[in-house]
Amino acid sequence: MRRGLRLLMTVATAAVIAASFRASMQPHSTVGSAAVVSPAPPATPSSRRPPATGRRTPASPTPAAGSARPSSVVVAGGVVDTQYGPVQVEITVRGGRITRTHTLQHPSGDGRSDEINSFAVPQLDREAMAAQSARIDTVSGATFTSEGYRQSLQSALDAAHQAGAR
């Protein structure tokens, strides 16, 4: 099981490095690389193992007693530099769904940015949870924060997918 986790972490690391390299080759890239903050913990062994046929069996909608709970992955998206400051989003993915969004960085430090983002950031978090994707609306008056949020969220989703979050 450790070998599988090590392989998963190696694949996720390679994906982050490849994304970083591609971004560094872009002359006007604004997105920093995403990072898996907390990989999915290894599944606990079950008393029943499916036959090793090389095919996956579909998961039952109701977990059997004693089965492992779905694992979660916490991923920080890339830092996106906007005209008013950096934006960075962190997500938690469990069972193929975004279960939590948290904005790690957003433009702040002056009264106007603080005022705008005190309203915009929670709204963007709610939109991301409802949409379960980066296809979210721009918050009126917070265009740059909204665009940075979307880009960072998408990089987090991509990294979560690469890390095997399903």
Side-chain angles (χ1 to χ4, degrees), residues 97-101 124-133:
R97 295 191 49 83
I98 301 170
T99 59
R100 179 178 177 268
T101 60
L124 290 164
D125 286 338
R126 285 190 301 273
E127 290 264 340
M129 291 288 294
Q132 290 293 303
S133 74

Side-chain angles (χ1 to χ4, degrees), residues 30-32 77-90 102-110 113-114 117 121 124 142-153:
T30 59
V31 180
V79 177
V80 179
D81 292 318
T82 72
Q83 181 175 333
Y84 296 100
V87 178
Q88 184 178 26
V89 179
E90 178 182 81
H102 176 69
T103 305
L104 298 174
Q105 296 183 60
H106 60 79
S108 63
D110 66 80
S113 289
D114 292 339
N117 289 310
V121 167
L124 290 164
T143 304
F144 292 99
T145 299
S146 297
E147 184 55 33
Y149 187 100
R150 265 193 299 275
Q151 290 178 24
S152 182
L153 176 59

Side-chain angles (χ1 to χ4, degrees), residues 48 59-70:
R48 296 183 297 156
S60 64
T62 309
S67 66
R69 294 181 305 174

Side-chain angles (χ1 to χ4, degrees), residues 46-72:
S46 171
S47 59
R48 296 183 297 156
R49 290 199 179 257
T53 61
R55 295 186 330 189
R56 286 189 180 184
T57 57
S60 64
T62 309
S67 66
R69 294 181 305 174
S71 58
S72 60

Side-chain angles (χ1 to χ4, degrees), residues 22-30:
R22 283 192 306 270
S24 70
M25 298 307 289
Q26 301 292 328
H28 299 291
S29 177
T30 59

